[in-house]
């Protein structure tokens, strides 16, 4: 299913900050797919989960939570209305 379902067209229409997370030990296919999405989506930030393959929530929950909180904090702060 992953090889027959093409979402590149719709995905390239996104116009919002995007965070992509891939594991350092992820399969070559998944790493390449992630790099392609980062290339196609302006403003996408990539984070590599150290020592993890695919299950970030199970293998590195603290790292993943910290990464998301830091990323969201920066993007939410930039959207706060000025006083």
């Amino acid at each position: 299913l992953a090889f027959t379902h093409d979402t590149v067209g719709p995905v390239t229409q996104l116009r919002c900050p995007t965070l992509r997370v891939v594991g350092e030990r992820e399969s070559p296919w998944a790493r390449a797919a992630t790099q392609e999405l980062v290339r196609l989506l302006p403003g996408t930030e990539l984070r590599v989960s150290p020592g993890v393959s695919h299950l970030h929530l199970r293998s590195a929950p603290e790292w993943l939570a910290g990464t998301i909180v830091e990323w969201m904090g920066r993007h939410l702060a930039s959207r706060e209305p000025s006083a």
Side-chain angles (χ1 to χ4, degrees):
L1 181 62
F3 296 106
T4 61
H5 184 73
D6 183 15
T7 58
V8 170
V11 165
T12 60
Q13 301 304 309
L14 289 173
R15 296 293 180 255
C16 60
T18 307
L19 174 65
R20 293 289 307 160
V21 175
V22 67
E24 178 181 48
R25 302 170 101 186
E26 185 64 82
S27 69
W29 177 85
R31 287 193 315 268
T34 298
Q35 289 290 343
E36 180 69 0
L37 283 172
V38 170
R39 185 184 70 75
L40 291 170
L41 293 170
T44 298
E45 294 180 41
L46 174 63
R47 298 291 184 273
V48 179
S49 185
V52 173
S53 56
H54 189 70
L55 298 173
H56 308 282
L57 283 174
R58 187 173 191 133
S59 301
E62 295 86 8
W63 178 89
L64 181 61
T67 298
I68 293 170
V69 166
E70 182 274 328
W71 183 85
M72 287 185 69
R74 282 188 297 108
H75 289 280
L76 291 174
S78 69
R79 298 194 183 284
E80 289 181 9
S82 38

